[in-house]
Amino acid sequence: MAVVGFDVGFQSCFTAVVKNGGIETVTNEFTDRCTPAVVSFGPKNRTIGNAARNQIITNPGSTVCNFKRLHGRLFQDPVVQAERTNLPYDLVPLQDDRVGAKTNGLQMEKGQHCCCYSP
């Protein structure tokens, strides 16, 4: 029997497997044991990890990173308001007053210009 564990961190993620009495950290498609915690949204696709990290420069408004510390916080929280100026993407209030990330990618319907995501 094997057990899989996930460590989703602030800047990176790890996946490990316990089997045959040992622990093995699983590598990603770039043979790294550490995958960046980044998601980038394009007009018709979504990329994660290293590919998304590479889009921070070319597509900053639709690339979400460093969002974990904002999970579960209200939009009016002083931490969220202080962080807004440091992020390349927009933070917006959701229907339940929690914080969400607004991006300009993955248009779901004709005429829709942005999407809002929450943890």
Side-chain angles (χ1 to χ4, degrees):
M1 180 172 91
V3 177
V4 178
F6 300 98
D7 176 14
V8 180
F10 171 65
Q11 292 183 335
S12 57
C13 307
F14 295 88
T15 304
V17 178
V18 178
K19 61 181 180 180
N20 300 330
I23 300 173
E24 176 184 344
T25 304
V26 180
T27 59
N28 61 20
E29 68 271 16
F30 296 98
T31 65
D32 294 332
R33 289 190 161 88
C34 165
T35 300
V38 181
V39 180
S40 183
F41 299 94
K44 295 183 179 181
N45 63 355
R46 172 180 54 227
T47 56
I48 60 172
N50 288 318
R53 182 181 60 190
N54 294 336
Q55 296 212 5
I56 289 175
I57 301 299
T58 59
N59 189 14
S62 293
T63 303
V64 179
C65 58
N66 300 333
F67 194 78
K68 185 177 177 185
R69 73 178 125 200
L70 305 175
H71 282 220
R73 293 187 185 267
L74 296 177
F75 182 74
Q76 296 302 326
D77 188 312
V79 172
V80 172
Q81 294 305 311
E83 195 63 32
R84 286 179 74 186
T85 59
N86 299 327
L87 297 173
Y89 52 89
D90 293 328
L91 296 178
V92 294
L94 300 176
Q95 291 178 347
D96 62 355
D97 291 331
R98 298 210 180 270
V99 65
K102 179 180 175 183
T103 67
N104 294 322
L106 276 179
Q107 284 80 26
M108 302 298 181
E109 299 175 11
K110 188 175 182 178
Q112 185 177 2
H113 299 292
C114 68
C115 298
C116 296
Y117 299 93
S118 66

